[in-house]
Amino acid sequence: MKDPIVVIVGRPNVGKSTFFNRLTGSSEAIVDDLSGVTRDRKYGEVDWSGKIFRLIDTGGYVPDSPDLFETAIREQVEIAITEADLVLFVVDAKQGLSPMDSIIARMLRESNKKTILIVNKVDSQADEPNAGEFYSLGFDDLFDISAMAGRKIGDLLDEIIARLDFSSSTKGEDTRLRIAMVGKPNVGKSSLTNALLGYDRSIVTNIPGTTRDSLDSYLKYYGEEIILVDTAGLRRKSKIKENIEFYSMVRTMKALGECDIAVVMLDSTNGLEGQDQKIIDEALIRRKGVIIAVNKWDLIEKDSNTAKHYEEQIRSKMGSIDFIPITFISALTKQRIYNLIELCKKVNEERKKKIPTSRLNDVMLEEIKNFPPPSTPTGKEIKIKYITQVGDSYPAFLFFTNEPKYVPDNYKRYLEKALRRNFGFEGVPVVLAFKAK
């Protein structure tokens, strides 16, 4: 699926984090009266009236220098203009119109990007006149809300949904395998794409962020056309780390939304790091096939057990996510890069695999009989009677049971492991749902 991307922009301390938390129903973004508390970018999912969009909070970077402050705000707005399907421009009714609001507004107007002006901190009807001065910013759509109190949030969400195009949220007629090369800067995404294509489609330097755009390339592989997406997507001119990370993640999210398989590339000299795990989590949330490719393997001194020990270290950090295949490659020497394509094709087949209902029940009901679920808190026996596979884009299984709400998480993990042990699904997230029967 390709979910629309909505980006929140605005100067610090206008309530962007509170607004983000309100729309996503979370408390992930730290909220404080001190300007600039939010230093990391926050990414969330909003589900309203059966429609889902991705929400990004750009708030809170406050460098020491006033010049850098203005640069940081401008860069984030430029990124939003480039990447967003819709911009939510937040201002503060209590503080009133500021020169920075006017600068951001001018950039958004000149871009012709779809924008809704959000006048925040209008806590009651008596405060509504405070929103009037913001009409001077030149936007047709103005919503006065209170993110803290939740005032008029439903009406705003209705408007957001009406403004977004969800027609691309389902797979189109293009059946070609789409592989996204994702990962931190300078792990070799462009080098791998170039090596597979046999020519320099992407500029490669040792400067992180050389590739400014997500680039689609077409690989002819034994008569089959495969789409490769290089998601480096960073601006070489940027000197502000937080903006670089933000820009990279927006590009990555877009690529993940459109791909079938995500190849998460690691630098062999660094191993699996926190940002890599976030990218893997994002791919799994979107139900994509995932492969970990450890690049620059030619730089590692090796013996017969090096790859095994390296893989064990990665898996120990990933915990229960033990179904993702790991391969070791070198984009420079082309070591195993075509094996990677074969692995992508294999994982894609696993993602589309359908298990006949009769076989599914024969196998899984026997597994359940050998290790039945625990009783409910009142001592009632939980009985699972029937299983069926549902959905088309990824493997999802529906378990019919007398007490669906009492099936514990550890037993759900047992069922998933039993499914994988008997039917495979390597590199693919599996969804389990429970319904009363």
Side-chain angles (χ1 to χ4, degrees):
M1 290 185 296
K2 179 185 177 183
D3 298 329
I5 292 179
V6 177
V7 178
I8 302 170
V9 302
R11 59 186 173 83
N13 213 30
V14 295
K16 295 189 298 297
S17 293
T18 304
F19 183 50
F20 173 88
N21 291 344
R22 174 66 65 178
L23 294 188
T24 58
S26 71
S27 57
E28 289 187 1
I30 300 170
V31 179
D32 196 283
D33 290 337
L34 179 64
S35 172
V37 168
T38 306
R39 297 191 66 88
D40 292 323
R41 302 296 159 250
K42 295 297 177 185
Y43 313 89
E45 183 176 273
V46 180
D47 187 342
W48 185 255
S49 300
K51 303 290 188 181
I52 295 174
F53 62 88
R54 306 295 294 179
L55 185 67
I56 303 173
D57 175 17
T58 64
Y61 181 74
V62 182
D64 295 330
S65 164
D67 292 335
L68 280 179
F69 166 76
E70 188 172 325
T71 301
I73 295 293
R74 180 174 286 109
E75 286 197 350
Q76 290 191 1
V77 175
E78 287 173 352
I79 292 166
I81 289 171
T82 304
E83 299 301 333
D85 297 297
L86 177 67
V87 177
L88 304 180
F89 175 24
V90 182
V91 295
D92 187 333
K94 295 195 184 307
Q95 293 182 6
L97 189 63
S98 85
M100 186 58 69
D101 293 330
S102 299
I103 292 171
I104 296 171
R106 185 170 63 251
M107 295 173 65
L108 290 170
R109 287 198 313 272
E110 290 174 353
S111 74
N112 293 319
K113 177 68 68 173
K114 287 194 290 187
T115 302
I116 299 177
L117 178 61
I118 313 293
V119 183
N120 191 25
K121 305 183 185 180
V122 181
D123 299 327
S124 67
Q125 189 172 356
D127 295 326
E128 287 184 2
N130 296 337
E133 67 174 318
F134 292 98
Y135 280 105
S136 65
L137 294 175
F139 293 99
D140 295 331
D141 297 309
L142 182 151
F143 273 78
D144 57 272
I145 67 159
S146 172
M148 181 68 73
R151 180 176 177 271
K152 292 190 177 181
I153 293 296
D155 293 340
L156 174 60
L157 281 166
D158 287 340
E159 180 65 21
I160 292 171
I161 294 299
R163 291 292 210 96
L164 295 173
D165 180 9
F166 292 91
S167 61
S168 60
S169 294
T170 55
K171 201 81 170 173
E173 295 299 319
D174 193 346
T175 59
R176 292 174 295 182
L177 175 61
R178 191 176 184 92
I179 303 171
M181 308 296 182
V182 296
K184 298 196 306 296
N186 218 28
V187 295
K189 299 184 292 294
S190 297
S191 296
L192 176 59
T193 302
N194 290 345
L196 287 167
L197 295 172
Y199 63 92
D200 289 348
R201 175 69 172 89
S202 304
I203 299 170
V204 178
T205 75
N206 60 0
I207 302 172
T210 302
T211 304
R212 292 186 55 166
D213 298 309
S214 296
L215 301 174
D216 285 8
S217 305
Y218 303 94
L219 172 67
K220 290 286 188 180
Y221 188 76
Y222 292 101
E224 177 184 359
E225 191 169 71
I226 295 173
I227 302 174
L228 304 178
V229 186
D230 174 10
T231 62
L234 304 177
R235 293 188 300 171
R236 182 174 175 178
K237 67 179 181 180
S238 180
K239 300 275 174 85
I240 299 171
K241 181 182 178 184
E242 282 82 354
N243 279 350
I244 289 177
E245 291 174 351
F246 166 64
Y247 198 59
S248 177
M249 183 55 79
V250 174
R251 291 290 194 190
T252 300
M253 285 174 60
K254 289 190 73 172
L256 287 175
E258 299 170 7
C259 76
D260 301 301
I261 306 297
V263 175
V264 182
M265 294 186 63
L266 311 182
D267 186 324
S268 63
T269 59
N270 296 328
L272 183 75
E273 298 179 325
Q275 185 69 11
D276 303 312
Q277 291 176 307
K278 289 179 183 178
I279 294 171
I280 291 170
D281 290 342
E282 185 70 30
L284 295 178
I285 287 170
R286 290 169 172 264
R287 314 302 182 198
K288 304 300 182 180
V290 181
I291 296 167
I292 293 176
V294 183
N295 191 29
K296 306 181 185 179
W297 196 237
D298 53 301
L299 301 180
I300 300 295
E301 274 191 46
K302 295 177 280 290
D303 59 31
S304 58
N305 293 315
T306 303
K308 178 183 176 183
H309 291 155
Y310 200 106
E311 181 173 341
E312 288 172 351
Q313 290 176 4
I314 292 174
R315 295 204 181 279
S316 68
K317 291 181 180 180
M318 293 173 61
S320 61
I321 304 174
D322 57 359
F323 54 87
I324 296 177
I326 299 172
T327 186
F328 299 87
I329 66 169
S330 169
L332 181 64
T333 67
K334 299 191 177 182
Q335 181 184 14
R336 283 188 288 273
I337 62 171
Y338 294 105
N339 291 350
L340 175 61
I341 297 298
E342 288 295 332
L343 186 55
C344 288
K345 288 167 60 68
K346 178 184 175 184
V347 169
N348 193 48
E349 289 303 314
E350 291 291 294
R351 191 166 175 252
K352 296 187 293 185
K353 183 163 62 177
K354 304 293 183 185
I355 309 300
T357 302
S358 58
R359 183 171 174 234
L360 181 63
N361 281 269
D362 288 344
V363 171
M364 289 305 296
L365 291 178
E366 186 67 23
E367 293 276 1
I368 293 167
K369 178 182 176 182
N370 293 335
F371 185 61
S375 301
T376 68
T378 60
K380 187 175 182 180
E381 183 181 359
I382 297 175
K383 297 180 180 179
I384 297 175
K385 300 288 189 180
Y386 182 75
I387 309 107
T388 184
Q389 185 174 355
V390 295
D392 297 321
S393 301
Y394 53 84
F397 297 90
L398 191 57
F399 291 74
F400 290 90
T401 175
N402 59 332
E403 296 287 348
K405 64 181 180 180
Y406 288 115
V407 179
D409 288 341
N410 62 345
Y411 195 74
K412 293 176 183 178
R413 287 192 291 271
Y414 164 76
L415 292 175
E416 180 179 341
K417 287 185 179 295
L419 278 167
R420 293 186 183 281
R421 184 170 60 251
N422 287 284
F423 302 115
F425 299 112
E426 182 185 27
V428 182
V430 170
V431 177
L432 275 61
F434 296 82
K435 187 174 181 179
K437 181 175 176 64

